[in-house]
Amino acid sequence: MKTFVMYSLMLGFVACQSGTNEQSSTAPAPIEHAGQSAVVDDESQKNIVQTAMASPDHQTLATALKTAGYVDALSNAGPFTVFAPHDEAFSQLPEGTVDNLLKPANKSKLQDILEYHVYVGVIRESIMQDGMKLDQVNGKKVSLSRQGEKFQVNGANIIATIPTSNGIVYVIDKVLLPEAD
C-alpha cells in the first residue's frame, strides 16, 4: 500500500509539473475599452446605430455618425427619436456639401446637423400632432406638420417608421438643416 501511495504521489507531481517549465513569450492581451457600440448581440432588436449601419439606404448617415463620434451615444439606452435622412436626401444637398461636412475641420458643424435630427425621448406617431414642436439635442426646435395621414418634420416627409431597441427612427426624405443663430 505504501508503494502504491508513493507511486500515485509521484505521478501526480509529474503531471502537475508538465508544461509549467515553459515561459509564455507573449504578454497578456491589452484590455480594450469600447463603448456600447462594441456589444455584440445578434438576438435582440437592433438599436438606432445598428439599424442605420445595416440599412443600404442610410450609408451616408452611418458614415456621418462615425465621423461625428456619435456611434456610442446613439447606441446607448436612450430613448431617442431620430429623423434619419436616407442617402437620396443627402444627395439633394449642394454638390460637395457632404464631403465638406465629413472633414475633421467641420466636425462641430456636422455634429450640430446630426443633433438637429435627434430628440431625447420617443415620439410615437400616435402622439404626434400638427404643429407640435420638439426640442432637439442641439437646443433648436423642429416642427411637425400633418398632411392627410402623413406627417412631416420641417417640411421633410416621414416615409417610414422603424422601432428600435433604444427608440424610434423616422426615415425622412430631406436633410434637416438648423437655421443659423
mmCIF file of all heavy atoms in Angstrom, residues 3-51:
data_model
loop_
_atom_site.group_PDB
_atom_site.id
_atom_site.type_symbol
_atom_site.label_atom_id
_atom_site.label_comp_id
_atom_site.label_asym_id
_atom_site.label_seq_id
_atom_site.Cartn_x
_atom_site.Cartn_y
_atom_site.Cartn_z
ATOM 1 N N THR A 3 3.791 1.613 -1.246
ATOM 2 C CA THR A 3 4.361 1.768 -2.573
ATOM 3 C C THR A 3 3.342 2.398 -3.519
ATOM 4 O O THR A 3 3.664 3.264 -4.315
ATOM 5 C CB THR A 3 4.804 0.401 -3.125
ATOM 6 O OG1 THR A 3 5.682 -0.194 -2.190
ATOM 7 C CG2 THR A 3 5.507 0.546 -4.446
ATOM 8 N N PHE A 4 2.094 1.957 -3.415
ATOM 9 C CA PHE A 4 1.029 2.488 -4.258
ATOM 10 C C PHE A 4 0.836 3.985 -4.008
ATOM 11 O O PHE A 4 0.704 4.771 -4.937
ATOM 12 C CB PHE A 4 -0.281 1.731 -4.003
ATOM 13 C CG PHE A 4 -1.440 2.284 -4.777
ATOM 14 C CD1 PHE A 4 -1.556 2.082 -6.147
ATOM 15 C CD2 PHE A 4 -2.415 3.047 -4.151
ATOM 16 C CE1 PHE A 4 -2.606 2.599 -6.851
ATOM 17 C CE2 PHE A 4 -3.472 3.579 -4.844
ATOM 18 C CZ PHE A 4 -3.571 3.349 -6.215
ATOM 19 N N VAL A 5 0.825 4.407 -2.747
ATOM 20 C CA VAL A 5 0.643 5.817 -2.396
ATOM 21 C C VAL A 5 1.818 6.634 -2.917
ATOM 22 O O VAL A 5 1.630 7.703 -3.495
ATOM 23 C CB VAL A 5 0.479 5.977 -0.871
ATOM 24 C CG1 VAL A 5 0.523 7.433 -0.460
ATOM 25 C CG2 VAL A 5 -0.800 5.327 -0.406
ATOM 26 N N MET A 6 3.046 6.117 -2.755
ATOM 27 C CA MET A 6 4.235 6.823 -3.235
ATOM 28 C C MET A 6 4.181 6.958 -4.758
ATOM 29 O O MET A 6 4.487 8.009 -5.309
ATOM 30 C CB MET A 6 5.515 6.088 -2.811
ATOM 31 C CG MET A 6 5.830 6.213 -1.340
ATOM 32 S SD MET A 6 6.107 7.915 -0.845
ATOM 33 C CE MET A 6 7.662 8.238 -1.582
ATOM 34 N N TYR A 7 3.780 5.879 -5.442
ATOM 35 C CA TYR A 7 3.701 5.887 -6.895
ATOM 36 C C TYR A 7 2.643 6.901 -7.353
ATOM 37 O O TYR A 7 2.864 7.672 -8.273
ATOM 38 C CB TYR A 7 3.373 4.473 -7.390
ATOM 39 C CG TYR A 7 3.294 4.374 -8.892
ATOM 40 C CD1 TYR A 7 4.439 4.492 -9.671
ATOM 41 C CD2 TYR A 7 2.072 4.168 -9.530
ATOM 42 C CE1 TYR A 7 4.359 4.408 -11.043
ATOM 43 C CE2 TYR A 7 1.985 4.089 -10.900
ATOM 44 C CZ TYR A 7 3.134 4.203 -11.657
ATOM 45 O OH TYR A 7 3.059 4.118 -13.014
ATOM 46 N N SER A 8 1.508 6.960 -6.673
ATOM 47 C CA SER A 8 0.436 7.900 -7.023
ATOM 48 C C SER A 8 0.874 9.338 -6.814
ATOM 49 O O SER A 8 0.582 10.209 -7.633
ATOM 50 C CB SER A 8 -0.811 7.634 -6.180
ATOM 51 O OG SER A 8 -1.330 6.359 -6.471
ATOM 52 N N LEU A 9 1.577 9.587 -5.719
ATOM 53 C CA LEU A 9 2.069 10.944 -5.456
ATOM 54 C C LEU A 9 3.083 11.372 -6.513
ATOM 55 O O LEU A 9 3.074 12.515 -6.954
ATOM 56 C CB LEU A 9 2.693 11.026 -4.071
ATOM 57 C CG LEU A 9 1.710 11.013 -2.895
ATOM 58 C CD1 LEU A 9 2.475 10.929 -1.576
ATOM 59 C CD2 LEU A 9 0.859 12.266 -2.925
ATOM 60 N N MET A 10 3.948 10.449 -6.925
ATOM 61 C CA MET A 10 4.945 10.777 -7.941
ATOM 62 C C MET A 10 4.272 11.076 -9.278
ATOM 63 O O MET A 10 4.642 12.024 -9.962
ATOM 64 C CB MET A 10 5.949 9.623 -8.089
ATOM 65 C CG MET A 10 6.931 9.566 -6.936
ATOM 66 S SD MET A 10 8.104 8.198 -7.001
ATOM 67 C CE MET A 10 8.619 8.140 -8.666
ATOM 68 N N LEU A 11 3.277 10.281 -9.648
ATOM 69 C CA LEU A 11 2.550 10.535 -10.892
ATOM 70 C C LEU A 11 1.844 11.889 -10.845
ATOM 71 O O LEU A 11 1.863 12.643 -11.814
ATOM 72 C CB LEU A 11 1.522 9.433 -11.165
ATOM 73 C CG LEU A 11 2.050 8.159 -11.798
ATOM 74 C CD1 LEU A 11 0.921 7.145 -11.930
ATOM 75 C CD2 LEU A 11 2.644 8.425 -13.165
ATOM 76 N N GLY A 12 1.252 12.189 -9.720
ATOM 77 C CA GLY A 12 0.573 13.473 -9.554
ATOM 78 C C GLY A 12 1.544 14.623 -9.649
ATOM 79 O O GLY A 12 1.269 15.647 -10.275
ATOM 80 N N PHE A 13 2.715 14.460 -9.050
ATOM 81 C CA PHE A 13 3.717 15.502 -9.077
ATOM 82 C C PHE A 13 4.213 15.737 -10.511
ATOM 83 O O PHE A 13 4.333 16.859 -10.964
ATOM 84 C CB PHE A 13 4.889 15.135 -8.150
ATOM 85 C CG PHE A 13 5.972 16.160 -8.132
ATOM 86 C CD1 PHE A 13 5.795 17.369 -7.471
ATOM 87 C CD2 PHE A 13 7.182 15.934 -8.786
ATOM 88 C CE1 PHE A 13 6.792 18.312 -7.451
ATOM 89 C CE2 PHE A 13 8.172 16.886 -8.773
ATOM 90 C CZ PHE A 13 7.980 18.075 -8.106
ATOM 91 N N VAL A 14 4.486 14.646 -11.222
ATOM 92 C CA VAL A 14 4.957 14.740 -12.602
ATOM 93 C C VAL A 14 3.875 15.385 -13.474
ATOM 94 O O VAL A 14 4.153 16.241 -14.305
ATOM 95 C CB VAL A 14 5.356 13.347 -13.142
ATOM 96 C CG1 VAL A 14 5.590 13.385 -14.637
ATOM 97 C CG2 VAL A 14 6.586 12.856 -12.414
ATOM 98 N N ALA A 15 2.624 14.987 -13.285
ATOM 99 C CA ALA A 15 1.528 15.544 -14.078
ATOM 100 C C ALA A 15 1.387 17.050 -13.832
ATOM 101 O O ALA A 15 1.145 17.809 -14.757
ATOM 102 C CB ALA A 15 0.216 14.833 -13.754
ATOM 103 N N CYS A 16 1.552 17.453 -12.590
ATOM 104 C CA CYS A 16 1.425 18.879 -12.272
ATOM 105 C C CYS A 16 2.584 19.683 -12.840
ATOM 106 O O CYS A 16 2.436 20.845 -13.150
ATOM 107 C CB CYS A 16 1.361 19.095 -10.758
ATOM 108 S SG CYS A 16 -0.204 18.535 -10.065
ATOM 109 N N GLN A 17 3.745 19.048 -12.955
ATOM 110 C CA GLN A 17 4.924 19.749 -13.437
ATOM 111 C C GLN A 17 4.980 19.846 -14.955
ATOM 112 O O GLN A 17 5.638 20.714 -15.480
ATOM 113 C CB GLN A 17 6.197 19.045 -12.935
ATOM 114 C CG GLN A 17 6.414 19.178 -11.455
ATOM 115 C CD GLN A 17 6.664 20.621 -11.064
ATOM 116 O OE1 GLN A 17 7.404 21.320 -11.734
ATOM 117 N NE2 GLN A 17 6.046 21.051 -9.984
ATOM 118 N N SER A 18 4.304 18.981 -15.676
ATOM 119 C CA SER A 18 4.424 19.003 -17.136
ATOM 120 C C SER A 18 3.850 20.304 -17.680
ATOM 121 O O SER A 18 2.765 20.717 -17.337
ATOM 122 C CB SER A 18 3.711 17.805 -17.760
ATOM 123 O OG SER A 18 2.321 17.900 -17.544
ATOM 124 N N GLY A 19 4.638 20.955 -18.513
ATOM 125 C CA GLY A 19 4.202 22.189 -19.152
ATOM 126 C C GLY A 19 4.408 23.432 -18.318
ATOM 127 O O GLY A 19 4.239 24.526 -18.803
ATOM 128 N N THR A 20 4.807 23.325 -17.057
ATOM 129 C CA THR A 20 4.949 24.528 -16.234
ATOM 130 C C THR A 20 6.314 25.156 -16.382
ATOM 131 O O THR A 20 6.519 26.267 -15.945
ATOM 132 C CB THR A 20 4.692 24.217 -14.745
ATOM 133 O OG1 THR A 20 5.614 23.235 -14.314
ATOM 134 C CG2 THR A 20 3.259 23.779 -14.534
ATOM 135 N N ASN A 21 7.261 24.441 -16.997
ATOM 136 C CA ASN A 21 8.601 25.000 -17.144
ATOM 137 C C ASN A 21 8.690 25.966 -18.316
ATOM 138 O O ASN A 21 9.648 26.691 -18.447
ATOM 139 C CB ASN A 21 9.641 23.888 -17.324
ATOM 140 C CG ASN A 21 9.812 23.095 -16.042
ATOM 141 O OD1 ASN A 21 9.558 23.620 -14.974
ATOM 142 N ND2 ASN A 21 10.236 21.854 -16.169
ATOM 143 N N GLU A 22 7.683 25.960 -19.194
ATOM 144 C CA GLU A 22 7.713 26.850 -20.339
ATOM 145 C C GLU A 22 7.247 28.241 -19.921
ATOM 146 O O GLU A 22 6.278 28.384 -19.213
ATOM 147 C CB GLU A 22 6.795 26.319 -21.444
ATOM 148 C CG GLU A 22 7.244 25.001 -22.002
ATOM 149 C CD GLU A 22 6.291 24.489 -23.067
ATOM 150 O OE1 GLU A 22 5.557 25.313 -23.652
ATOM 151 O OE2 GLU A 22 6.279 23.290 -23.299
ATOM 152 N N GLN A 23 7.976 29.233 -20.379
ATOM 153 C CA GLN A 23 7.609 30.614 -20.105
ATOM 154 C C GLN A 23 6.807 31.137 -21.294
ATOM 155 O O GLN A 23 7.162 30.900 -22.441
ATOM 156 C CB GLN A 23 8.857 31.478 -19.918
ATOM 157 C CG GLN A 23 9.671 31.125 -18.697
ATOM 158 C CD GLN A 23 8.979 31.589 -17.431
ATOM 159 O OE1 GLN A 23 8.201 32.519 -17.459
ATOM 160 N NE2 GLN A 23 9.270 30.928 -16.331
ATOM 161 N N SER A 24 5.779 31.855 -21.029
ATOM 162 C CA SER A 24 4.992 32.468 -22.090
ATOM 163 C C SER A 24 5.751 33.680 -22.604
ATOM 164 O O SER A 24 6.181 34.524 -21.834
ATOM 165 C CB SER A 24 3.625 32.897 -21.560
ATOM 166 O OG SER A 24 2.934 33.605 -22.540
ATOM 167 N N SER A 25 5.939 33.726 -23.933
ATOM 168 C CA SER A 25 6.690 34.839 -24.504
ATOM 169 C C SER A 25 5.769 35.987 -24.914
ATOM 170 O O SER A 25 6.235 37.012 -25.363
ATOM 171 C CB SER A 25 7.488 34.359 -25.718
ATOM 172 O OG SER A 25 6.598 33.888 -26.701
ATOM 173 N N THR A 26 4.473 35.785 -24.773
ATOM 174 C CA THR A 26 3.560 36.866 -25.149
ATOM 175 C C THR A 26 2.943 37.471 -23.905
ATOM 176 O O THR A 26 2.603 36.778 -22.962
ATOM 177 C CB THR A 26 2.441 36.355 -26.071
ATOM 178 O OG1 THR A 26 1.719 35.331 -25.388
ATOM 179 C CG2 THR A 26 2.997 35.806 -27.369
ATOM 180 N N ALA A 27 2.827 38.769 -23.932
ATOM 181 C CA ALA A 27 2.185 39.469 -22.824
ATOM 182 C C ALA A 27 0.681 39.263 -22.935
ATOM 183 O O ALA A 27 0.156 38.982 -24.011
ATOM 184 C CB ALA A 27 2.525 40.955 -22.897
ATOM 185 N N PRO A 28 -0.022 39.391 -21.830
ATOM 186 C CA PRO A 28 -1.476 39.264 -21.914
ATOM 187 C C PRO A 28 -2.046 40.334 -22.845
ATOM 188 O O PRO A 28 -1.508 41.427 -22.957
ATOM 189 C CB PRO A 28 -1.959 39.460 -20.482
ATOM 190 C CG PRO A 28 -0.803 39.985 -19.712
ATOM 191 C CD PRO A 28 0.435 39.699 -20.499
ATOM 192 N N ALA A 29 -3.115 39.975 -23.501
ATOM 193 C CA ALA A 29 -3.739 40.916 -24.429
ATOM 194 C C ALA A 29 -4.218 42.140 -23.658
ATOM 195 O O ALA A 29 -4.776 42.019 -22.571
ATOM 196 C CB ALA A 29 -4.912 40.252 -25.143
ATOM 197 N N PRO A 30 -3.982 43.320 -24.219
ATOM 198 C CA PRO A 30 -4.443 44.527 -23.522
ATOM 199 C C PRO A 30 -5.972 44.567 -23.498
ATOM 200 O O PRO A 30 -6.635 44.069 -24.408
ATOM 201 C CB PRO A 30 -3.887 45.670 -24.370
ATOM 202 C CG PRO A 30 -3.647 45.073 -25.716
ATOM 203 C CD PRO A 30 -3.352 43.614 -25.481
ATOM 204 N N ILE A 31 -6.487 45.136 -22.468
ATOM 205 C CA ILE A 31 -7.932 45.279 -22.345
ATOM 206 C C ILE A 31 -8.332 46.481 -23.179
ATOM 207 O O ILE A 31 -7.828 47.580 -22.990
ATOM 208 C CB ILE A 31 -8.355 45.485 -20.875
ATOM 209 C CG1 ILE A 31 -7.991 44.254 -20.058
ATOM 210 C CG2 ILE A 31 -9.837 45.786 -20.783
ATOM 211 C CD1 ILE A 31 -8.227 44.414 -18.581
ATOM 212 N N GLU A 32 -9.223 46.226 -24.135
ATOM 213 C CA GLU A 32 -9.695 47.319 -24.968
ATOM 214 C C GLU A 32 -10.947 47.898 -24.349
ATOM 215 O O GLU A 32 -11.820 47.178 -23.904
ATOM 216 C CB GLU A 32 -9.992 46.818 -26.380
ATOM 217 C CG GLU A 32 -8.733 46.384 -27.108
ATOM 218 C CD GLU A 32 -9.021 46.027 -28.548
ATOM 219 O OE1 GLU A 32 -9.922 46.640 -29.139
ATOM 220 O OE2 GLU A 32 -8.335 45.148 -29.059
ATOM 221 N N HIS A 33 -11.000 49.203 -24.320
ATOM 222 C CA HIS A 33 -12.175 49.881 -23.782
ATOM 223 C C HIS A 33 -12.997 50.393 -24.950
ATOM 224 O O HIS A 33 -12.528 51.174 -25.750
ATOM 225 C CB HIS A 33 -11.760 51.040 -22.871
ATOM 226 C CG HIS A 33 -10.965 50.578 -21.693
ATOM 227 N ND1 HIS A 33 -11.546 49.981 -20.606
ATOM 228 C CD2 HIS A 33 -9.636 50.582 -21.453
ATOM 229 C CE1 HIS A 33 -10.599 49.667 -19.732
ATOM 230 N NE2 HIS A 33 -9.434 50.015 -20.223
ATOM 231 N N ALA A 34 -14.194 49.907 -25.025
ATOM 232 C CA ALA A 34 -15.085 50.336 -26.101
ATOM 233 C C ALA A 34 -16.426 50.691 -25.494
ATOM 234 O O ALA A 34 -16.767 50.252 -24.401
ATOM 235 C CB ALA A 34 -15.244 49.231 -27.131
ATOM 236 N N GLY A 35 -17.167 51.459 -26.220
ATOM 237 C CA GLY A 35 -18.481 51.872 -25.750
ATOM 238 C C GLY A 35 -19.546 50.842 -26.055
ATOM 239 O O GLY A 35 -19.272 49.705 -26.451
ATOM 240 N N GLN A 36 -20.774 51.265 -25.896
ATOM 241 C CA GLN A 36 -21.930 50.396 -26.099
ATOM 242 C C GLN A 36 -21.968 49.797 -27.502
ATOM 243 O O GLN A 36 -22.464 48.712 -27.706
ATOM 244 C CB GLN A 36 -23.208 51.194 -25.821
ATOM 245 C CG GLN A 36 -24.478 50.394 -25.918
ATOM 246 C CD GLN A 36 -24.595 49.334 -24.853
ATOM 247 O OE1 GLN A 36 -24.040 49.447 -23.774
ATOM 248 N NE2 GLN A 36 -25.299 48.274 -25.162
ATOM 249 N N SER A 37 -21.423 50.508 -28.480
ATOM 250 C CA SER A 37 -21.459 50.017 -29.862
ATOM 251 C C SER A 37 -20.650 48.741 -30.037
ATOM 252 O O SER A 37 -20.834 48.031 -31.022
ATOM 253 C CB SER A 37 -20.942 51.089 -30.817
ATOM 254 O OG SER A 37 -19.594 51.388 -30.525
ATOM 255 N N ALA A 38 -19.757 48.427 -29.099
ATOM 256 C CA ALA A 38 -18.939 47.228 -29.207
ATOM 257 C C ALA A 38 -19.645 45.975 -28.709
ATOM 258 O O ALA A 38 -19.158 44.868 -28.892
ATOM 259 C CB ALA A 38 -17.636 47.422 -28.429
ATOM 260 N N VAL A 39 -20.792 46.132 -28.088
ATOM 261 C CA VAL A 39 -21.527 44.979 -27.580
ATOM 262 C C VAL A 39 -22.108 44.199 -28.751
ATOM 263 O O VAL A 39 -22.763 44.756 -29.625
ATOM 264 C CB VAL A 39 -22.664 45.421 -26.626
ATOM 265 C CG1 VAL A 39 -23.505 44.230 -26.200
ATOM 266 C CG2 VAL A 39 -22.077 46.120 -25.415
ATOM 267 N N VAL A 40 -21.831 42.893 -28.772
ATOM 268 C CA VAL A 40 -22.350 42.046 -29.835
ATOM 269 C C VAL A 40 -23.562 41.299 -29.305
ATOM 270 O O VAL A 40 -23.497 40.605 -28.299
ATOM 271 C CB VAL A 40 -21.267 41.050 -30.305
ATOM 272 C CG1 VAL A 40 -21.826 40.119 -31.368
ATOM 273 C CG2 VAL A 40 -20.058 41.796 -30.824
ATOM 274 N N ASP A 41 -24.674 41.467 -29.995
ATOM 275 C CA ASP A 41 -25.923 40.808 -29.604
ATOM 276 C C ASP A 41 -26.741 40.597 -30.863
ATOM 277 O O ASP A 41 -27.337 41.534 -31.382
ATOM 278 C CB ASP A 41 -26.681 41.684 -28.603
ATOM 279 C CG ASP A 41 -28.019 41.083 -28.188
ATOM 280 O OD1 ASP A 41 -28.353 39.969 -28.640
ATOM 281 O OD2 ASP A 41 -28.734 41.737 -27.415
ATOM 282 N N ASP A 42 -26.720 39.378 -31.364
ATOM 283 C CA ASP A 42 -27.426 39.082 -32.609
ATOM 284 C C ASP A 42 -28.864 38.636 -32.391
ATOM 285 O O ASP A 42 -29.549 38.291 -33.341
ATOM 286 C CB ASP A 42 -26.671 38.007 -33.389
ATOM 287 C CG ASP A 42 -25.311 38.501 -33.850
ATOM 288 O OD1 ASP A 42 -25.178 39.703 -34.112
ATOM 289 O OD2 ASP A 42 -24.379 37.679 -33.941
ATOM 290 N N GLU A 43 -29.314 38.636 -31.143
ATOM 291 C CA GLU A 43 -30.650 38.144 -30.869
ATOM 292 C C GLU A 43 -31.655 39.238 -30.538
ATOM 293 O O GLU A 43 -32.825 39.115 -30.850
ATOM 294 C CB GLU A 43 -30.605 37.129 -29.719
ATOM 295 C CG GLU A 43 -29.827 35.877 -30.101
ATOM 296 C CD GLU A 43 -29.781 34.854 -28.986
ATOM 297 O OE1 GLU A 43 -30.699 34.847 -28.147
ATOM 298 O OE2 GLU A 43 -28.837 34.068 -28.960
ATOM 299 N N SER A 44 -31.212 40.301 -29.915
ATOM 300 C CA SER A 44 -32.121 41.374 -29.517
ATOM 301 C C SER A 44 -32.426 42.280 -30.700
ATOM 302 O O SER A 44 -31.734 42.268 -31.717
ATOM 303 C CB SER A 44 -31.496 42.215 -28.404
ATOM 304 O OG SER A 44 -31.276 41.427 -27.264
ATOM 305 N N GLN A 45 -33.452 43.099 -30.520
ATOM 306 C CA GLN A 45 -33.793 44.089 -31.533
ATOM 307 C C GLN A 45 -32.611 45.052 -31.692
ATOM 308 O O GLN A 45 -31.952 45.410 -30.718
ATOM 309 C CB GLN A 45 -35.044 44.839 -31.086
ATOM 310 C CG GLN A 45 -35.562 45.832 -32.086
ATOM 311 C CD GLN A 45 -36.832 46.517 -31.590
ATOM 312 O OE1 GLN A 45 -37.047 46.642 -30.389
ATOM 313 N NE2 GLN A 45 -37.653 46.963 -32.515
ATOM 314 N N LYS A 46 -32.335 45.459 -32.899
ATOM 315 C CA LYS A 46 -31.212 46.356 -33.167
ATOM 316 C C LYS A 46 -31.480 47.752 -32.606
ATOM 317 O O LYS A 46 -32.616 48.205 -32.561
ATOM 318 C CB LYS A 46 -30.966 46.448 -34.663
ATOM 319 C CG LYS A 46 -30.477 45.151 -35.281
ATOM 320 C CD LYS A 46 -30.142 45.351 -36.739
ATOM 321 C CE LYS A 46 -29.656 44.110 -37.435
ATOM 322 N NZ LYS A 46 -28.829 43.199 -36.736
ATOM 323 N N ASN A 47 -30.393 48.421 -32.194
ATOM 324 C CA ASN A 47 -30.529 49.800 -31.737
ATOM 325 C C ASN A 47 -30.493 50.736 -32.949
ATOM 326 O O ASN A 47 -30.386 50.291 -34.099
ATOM 327 C CB ASN A 47 -29.465 50.142 -30.685
ATOM 328 C CG ASN A 47 -28.052 50.121 -31.227
ATOM 329 O OD1 ASN A 47 -27.778 50.531 -32.357
ATOM 330 N ND2 ASN A 47 -27.117 49.650 -30.422
ATOM 331 N N ILE A 48 -30.561 52.019 -32.709
ATOM 332 C CA ILE A 48 -30.618 53.007 -33.786
ATOM 333 C C ILE A 48 -29.394 52.920 -34.693
ATOM 334 O O ILE A 48 -29.521 52.902 -35.920
ATOM 335 C CB ILE A 48 -30.789 54.424 -33.198
ATOM 336 C CG1 ILE A 48 -32.212 54.563 -32.638
ATOM 337 C CG2 ILE A 48 -30.496 55.502 -34.230
ATOM 338 C CD1 ILE A 48 -32.434 55.772 -31.765
ATOM 339 N N VAL A 49 -28.210 52.849 -34.116
ATOM 340 C CA VAL A 49 -26.991 52.816 -34.923
ATOM 341 C C VAL A 49 -26.908 51.518 -35.718
ATOM 342 O O VAL A 49 -26.590 51.534 -36.912
ATOM 343 C CB VAL A 49 -25.742 52.997 -34.037
ATOM 344 C CG1 VAL A 49 -24.468 52.789 -34.832
ATOM 345 C CG2 VAL A 49 -25.747 54.382 -33.397
ATOM 346 N N GLN A 50 -27.191 50.391 -35.092
ATOM 347 C CA GLN A 50 -27.160 49.113 -35.803
ATOM 348 C C GLN A 50 -28.155 49.114 -36.965
ATOM 349 O O GLN A 50 -27.862 48.588 -38.036
ATOM 350 C CB GLN A 50 -27.481 47.962 -34.850
ATOM 351 C CG GLN A 50 -26.414 47.726 -33.813
ATOM 352 C CD GLN A 50 -26.893 46.826 -32.679
ATOM 353 O OE1 GLN A 50 -28.065 46.819 -32.324
ATOM 354 N NE2 GLN A 50 -25.969 46.075 -32.111
ATOM 355 N N THR A 51 -29.301 49.723 -36.748
ATOM 356 C CA THR A 51 -30.314 49.811 -37.793
ATOM 357 C C THR A 51 -29.795 50.645 -38.964
ATOM 358 O O THR A 51 -29.921 50.246 -40.128
ATOM 359 C CB THR A 51 -31.615 50.416 -37.229
ATOM 360 O OG1 THR A 51 -32.085 49.562 -36.175
ATOM 361 C CG2 THR A 51 -32.679 50.545 -38.289
#
